[in-house]
Amino acid sequence: AQSVTQLDSHVSVSEGTPVLLRCNYSSSYSPSLFWYVQHPNKGLQLLLKYTSAATLVKGINGFEAEFKKSETSFHLTKPSAHMSDAAEYFCVVSDTGGFKTIFGAGTRLFVKA
Amino acid sequence: NAGVTQTPKFQVLKTGQSMTLQCAQDMNHEYMSWYRQDPGMGLRLIHYSVGAGITDQGEVPNGYNVSRSTTEDFPLRLLSAAPSQTSVYFCASSYSVDRMNTGELFFGEGSRLTVL
């Protein structure tokens, strides 16, 4: 069975400082892993995805994530936060076909001026 | 391309009423799905479909029905609404399973449902 745990429900950073959003997953086979972002009252947008190619994945808006199989982690990082990054972020695990897609509970990112 | 379109964006129902949330996509995606989003719980899969005429249950299917008569449309029906179904509902679609389906989902903007 698959599962996803986002280790922080809220993260607060100052503008210009690094962002780290943590995600651990559990899967009985080689999963696909994703990060999605949701701005207030909007749908979800794909930030980046890992699908068994390079373990360091670069996404949009300067975000990247590293797949670490030994730690079953897929943490999301950004070197320098921007006010526009304030949103909710979801870590997602999926089987290859995408039929069984499991979302984490979400991490709300606050960015202080 | 409009992508994934959901209607209505907002709806208020009384307990026991029925309604249908509409979802349409114009990307020729075979896979479509419905999620509900509740605070602190992420998104939970209600039902999904891998093609016209094929549907299956997700994590939380009770109280909801779906059908898929065309590739483009995937409506979600609430037969007898309950306050526990107050939520934000998202429709999502994805590429054909015959291609390299990596599970990337394309979402609509959501439908906010309140059941009194």
Side-chain angles (χ1 to χ4, degrees):
Chain A
Q2 298 177 107
S3 66
V4 177
T5 303
Q6 292 184 242
L7 299 171
D8 306 291
S9 59
H10 299 86
V11 170
S12 182
V13 301
S14 297
E15 192 174 24
T17 64
V19 176
L20 170 64
L21 305 183
R22 299 181 294 166
C23 173
N24 286 351
Y25 72 93
S26 172
S27 178
S28 55
Y29 37 76
S30 296
S32 295
L33 293 160
F34 308 81
W35 277 97
Y36 287 86
V37 60
Q38 184 182 31
H39 288 94
N41 300 313
K42 295 291 186 184
L44 282 76
Q45 179 186 16
L46 181 69
L47 268 182
L48 51 79
K49 62 184 178 185
Y50 166 77
T51 55
S52 74
T55 56
L56 182 62
V57 181
K58 294 188 184 299
I60 62 172
N61 301 333
F63 284 95
E64 62 182 37
E66 186 171 8
F67 173 70
K68 292 186 176 180
K69 187 174 182 178
S70 60
E71 300 176 9
T72 61
S73 68
F74 191 57
H75 301 335
L76 181 70
T77 60
K78 183 174 181 178
S80 177
H82 191 272
M83 295 297 290
S84 61
D85 294 328
E88 188 150 24
Y89 292 79
F90 293 95
C91 182
V92 179
V93 62
S94 174
D95 63 358
T96 304
F99 304 151
K100 300 293 185 183
T101 300
I102 305 298
F103 281 73
T107 299
R108 186 166 295 277
L109 176 65
F110 297 93
V111 182
K112 299 174 289 186
Chain B
N1 280 349
V4 179
T5 303
Q6 291 182 234
T7 56
K9 292 193 185 308
F10 301 94
Q11 183 71 49
V12 178
L13 291 177
K14 295 181 179 178
T15 297
Q17 287 185 316
S18 62
M19 78 156 299
T20 299
L21 299 176
Q22 301 290 345
C23 176
Q25 53 89 11
D26 61 0
M27 297 173 282
N28 202 31
H29 287 170
E30 290 193 358
Y31 178 84
M32 296 185 73
S33 53
W34 277 102
Y35 291 85
R36 59 177 290 171
Q37 182 178 24
D38 301 293
M41 302 186 74
L43 276 72
R44 292 179 292 169
L45 181 64
I46 304 171
H47 286 286
Y48 67 94
S49 168
V50 300
I54 306 169
T55 63
D56 205 348
Q57 297 180 350
E59 298 174 71
V60 288
N62 293 340
Y64 306 95
N65 277 0
V66 292
S67 60
R68 183 94 179 271
S69 56
T70 67
T71 299
E72 294 78 19
D73 300 300
F74 191 45
L76 179 71
R77 297 182 185 85
L78 284 72
L79 300 177
S80 179
S84 61
Q85 294 178 304
T86 294
S87 188
V88 181
Y89 292 84
F90 287 97
C91 180
S93 69
S94 186
Y95 292 114
S96 164
V97 301
D98 293 331
R99 291 191 270 158
M100 282 292 290
N101 186 353
T102 60
E104 176 182 348
L105 294 167
F106 295 80
F107 284 87
E109 293 209 338
S111 298
R112 185 175 295 275
L113 175 66
T114 301
V115 182
L116 303 176

